[in-house]
Amino acid sequence: MLEDRIDPVKLRHHGDADTHPGMLDFAVNVQGIAPPEWLRRRLASRLSDLGRYPSVADTTAACRAVAVRHHRTPDEVLLLAGAAEGFAMLPRLAPRLAAVLHPSFTEPEFALRAAGIPVARVVLRQPYRLDPSAVPDEADLVVLGNPTNPTSVLHPAEAIRALRRPGRTVVVDEAFADAVVGEPESLAADSAPDVLVLRSLTKTWALAGLRCGYFLGAPDLLARLGHGRAHWPLGTLQLEAITATASPAAVAHAQRRAEALASSRAAMIERLTALGVEVHTPARGPFLLLRVPQGERLREHLADQAIAVRRGDTFPGLGPNHLRVAVRRVEEVDRLVAAIRSSDVWGCPVRAGADPARPNGPHDRNAVHDRNQCTTETKEGGR
């Protein structure tokens, strides 16, 4: 539906605003605090080239590397200074009506609205599965994520293909696709004339500060997106990073990390569920969507314990009792679980006779809690 009252501040809120130096960071989905050593060495080897402008040869090499990685041709690749630049380009497609599926990353909606493009929000309700019939027929641009941030839902590729219509362009944000083992639902290798796939190097390679990504799509669509772009849009280090991470060795490295992440995610889900936290599953991304009682109060308590989690109420369709947490190592999850346990939100009164062996969490079905302090319902997103 078209929305009359939209909060642009919420649309522009991202996880980096929820964390600060020195905090244990569950708010930002970047894996690690720096690129792997081999990639740092590769980038450092180009520092002596920074006195020269980025070369055509470097740009060509990066396009070719990405094309080979995704079984495309180089003219189906548009290199970007981060996925956010790709979203900022979408208004150049001049859609009459853009449909943005939610809950999801809000930057594309912000970019479209800022350019005066009419936007229809298609809000998926739990379990947040894609229903192509929910998208307005008149929408000639559809934007969605896969896997979706923040729900961690991986939509079937066939369901995404079902969004295609004559005169419509479908944009799939696959910023987290390389964190999924085997990338089974990716459309990156599909050379459909009306599908654009957006990729980011930020998350898997811990390159948020370098801003690297790319569009994959039909050459005519890419030409429209890149129209009027500044000369030398990417620097030498960005081009080197894109080339390096598209190599077969790097892709294999990313898949090993995806396998390790899947194991960590399963263990984290088990820990949080045992505590009584409602975790949305199945989850396929490097993050989890949680629903807790008194989410704002719990988030503030965690911040007091120097732990940052991502607030969920800025995602359309979610409320203040939703939180997003990045998948982290076991010792970091230990700290998160201990901090949640120490919150008075998790210290609600339990009736006599409740099973003391079960986690004393707000969703313990054997416990009756004081709803004045431990309500599990919200007006915005609860049930």
Side-chain angles (χ1 to χ4, degrees):
M1 59 179 291
L2 289 169
E3 302 274 351
D4 293 323
R5 288 180 288 181
I6 300 296
D7 185 348
V9 175
K10 283 190 173 183
L11 288 178
R12 263 288 163 96
H13 182 93
H14 302 305
D16 59 318
D18 291 324
T19 188
H20 304 286
M23 299 184 78
L24 176 56
D25 186 5
F26 284 87
V28 176
N29 291 318
V30 173
Q31 298 180 43
I33 60 173
E37 178 62 29
W38 69 267
L39 182 53
R40 294 203 297 271
R41 289 196 303 268
R42 178 91 175 247
L43 295 175
S45 72
R46 298 301 305 271
L47 292 177
S48 60
D49 296 329
L50 296 184
R52 297 187 293 273
Y53 285 96
S55 70
V56 173
D58 282 341
T59 301
T60 300
C63 285
R64 285 177 176 169
V66 171
V68 170
R69 188 247 193 271
H70 294 293
H71 308 286
R72 296 274 197 154
T73 58
D75 63 351
E76 293 179 291
V77 178
L78 178 63
L79 305 178
L80 301 170
E85 186 191 17
F87 294 131
M89 292 176 171
L90 292 180
R92 296 174 184 172
L93 298 178
R96 295 182 300 277
L97 175 65
V100 181
L101 277 73
H102 285 297
S104 68
F105 187 53
T106 51
E107 196 66 20
E109 179 174 335
F110 179 89
L112 290 162
R113 289 187 183 278
I117 304 296
V119 175
R121 284 183 171 176
V122 180
V123 179
L124 305 178
R125 302 301 178 186
Q126 197 169 2
Y128 312 115
R129 296 194 184 102
L130 174 59
D131 177 7
S133 68
V135 176
D137 288 337
E138 61 270 28
D140 53 351
L141 179 70
V142 179
V143 185
L144 73 159
N146 204 39
T148 300
N149 172 20
T151 63
S152 210
V153 169
L154 185 65
H155 300 301
E158 285 307 312
I160 299 175
R161 293 188 183 102
L163 292 168
R164 298 173 62 196
R165 300 281 191 282
R168 171 186 286 178
T169 301
V170 178
V171 179
V172 188
D173 173 11
E174 292 192 358
F176 299 99
D178 60 355
V180 180
V181 177
E183 302 185 16
E185 307 302 339
S186 172
L187 298 187
D190 282 22
S191 292
D194 52 359
V195 175
L196 289 165
V197 173
L198 187 61
R199 286 287 183 120
S200 168
L201 275 61
T202 296
K203 282 69 179 183
T204 293
W205 301 109
L207 286 171
L210 196 55
R211 314 307 306 136
C212 305
Y214 48 86
F215 259 128
L216 300 167
D220 64 318
L221 282 178
L222 299 184
R224 291 167 63 190
L225 290 168
H227 180 73
R229 200 177 185 196
H231 202 29
W232 307 296
L234 275 74
T236 299
L237 296 184
Q238 292 165 299
L239 295 171
E240 187 68 20
I242 292 172
T243 302
T245 56
S247 71
V251 173
H253 179 100
Q255 281 302 289
R256 290 192 297 271
R257 296 185 71 170
E259 291 167 1
L261 187 144
S263 178
S264 296
R265 181 176 58 232
M268 190 171 172
I269 291 171
E270 184 176 358
R271 293 287 303 283
L272 291 170
T273 302
L275 185 61
V277 175
E278 183 180 328
V279 183
H280 181 70
T281 56
R284 300 292 296 276
F287 45 85
L288 299 171
L289 178 64
L290 314 181
R291 193 163 71 94
V292 298
Q294 300 189 65
E296 293 182 11
R297 186 169 165 184
L298 178 59
R299 185 163 56 85
E300 291 172 359
H301 170 78
L302 293 174
D304 289 341
Q305 304 297 311
I307 297 175
V309 297
R310 171 63 157 93
R311 60 187 282 198
D313 63 312
T314 64
F315 293 103
L318 302 183
N321 288 354
H322 288 99
L323 304 173
R324 190 197 69 198
V325 292
V327 173
R328 296 292 187 234
R329 297 173 299 178
V330 62
E331 59 270 25
E332 294 168 323
V333 177
D334 285 343
R335 281 188 58 187
L336 175 64
V337 168
I340 293 175
R341 283 188 184 277
S342 70
S343 168
D344 57 3
V345 173
W346 246 249
C348 307
V350 184
R351 72 165 184 227
D355 183 355
R358 291 178 58 84
N360 184 12
H363 302 292
D364 179 354
R365 293 182 181 177
N366 289 342
V368 174
H369 305 285
D370 179 356
R371 289 188 176 272
N372 290 326
Q373 295 201 9
C374 298
T375 178
T376 60
E377 304 195 22
T378 71
K379 293 181 180 179
E380 289 87 351
R383 50 173 185 162

